Amino acid sequence: EEAAAPKAHATLTRALALKSDDAETLAFLGTVERLTKREREGIAHMTKARQLDPTNIGVLGLLSGFGDVSAMEQLRAMPEFPAMSDHGRQRVLLGLGKDRAHRGKPAEARALFTEGLAINKDTREARLLAAELQRLK
C-alpha cells in the first residue's frame, strides 16, 4: 500500500542500522524502494541481499517478483520448490515461461506454462498462465 511505504522504509532502515548484514531486511528495503520509484537504491539493496545470502528463499522470491530470471531459475531448482505456495510456484513458472517465449523458445515456454497450470487451475496466476499458453498458439 502506497501510504504505508514511508513507514515501512523508515522501519526497515532502522532495522538495517541494527544489523547491516541481514539479507531479508535488505531485500524488503529494496522492494519498498523499487515500489516507490527509488530504483537505483532498491536494486543496490537487493543485490547486496543476494550476495549475503544467495540461497535465501525469501530474498530469491522478492527478486523473482521483479523479473530476476536467475532468481526464478534458482528457486525452481531448489528442493523446497514443491513446498512453496501455489501462488509462488505459479509466479515463478509464469516468469520463466515468459522469458523463454521472449527468447524464441516456444516449446520450453509452453512446457513451463503447462506445468504451472497443473499446480492449481483456480488462481489468478492460472488465468495468466492460460492466457500466455493461448498467446503461443
Side-chain angles (χ1 to χ4, degrees), residues 62-99:
L62 290 168
L63 286 165
S64 71
F66 284 97
D68 186 320
V69 174
S70 68
M72 290 180 224
E73 294 283 5
Q74 193 173 348
L75 277 171
R76 184 166 183 243
M78 295 178 100
E80 299 90 347
F81 185 71
M84 286 175 57
S85 69
D86 290 356
H87 166 81
R89 287 182 295 149
Q90 286 181 311
R91 293 301 281 179
V92 166
L93 294 166
L94 178 64
L96 291 174
K98 285 181 172 183
D99 172 68

Side-chain angles (χ1 to χ4, degrees), residues 24-82:
E24 287 187 9
T25 301
L26 280 161
F28 279 116
L29 180 59
T31 298
V32 169
E33 289 168 338
R34 291 181 82 175
L35 292 173
T36 57
K37 310 298 185 234
R38 292 183 226 162
E39 192 74 15
R40 194 173 343 159
E41 297 95 333
I43 289 172
H45 283 125
M46 293 180 102
T47 299
K48 185 174 179 184
R50 190 166 189 188
Q51 290 168 345
L52 286 169
D53 195 350
T55 61
N56 185 303
I57 292 175
V59 171
L60 293 170
L62 290 168
L63 286 165
S64 71
F66 284 97
D68 186 320
V69 174
S70 68
M72 290 180 224
E73 294 283 5
Q74 193 173 348
L75 277 171
R76 184 166 183 243
M78 295 178 100
E80 299 90 347
F81 185 71

Side-chain angles (χ1 to χ4, degrees), residues 102-122:
H102 179 74
R103 293 186 338 186
K105 298 181 177 184
E108 288 182 34
R110 194 171 292 109
L112 289 159
F113 295 145
T114 301
E115 181 183 340
L117 273 173
I119 292 170
N120 185 339
K121 292 190 184 328
D122 297 322

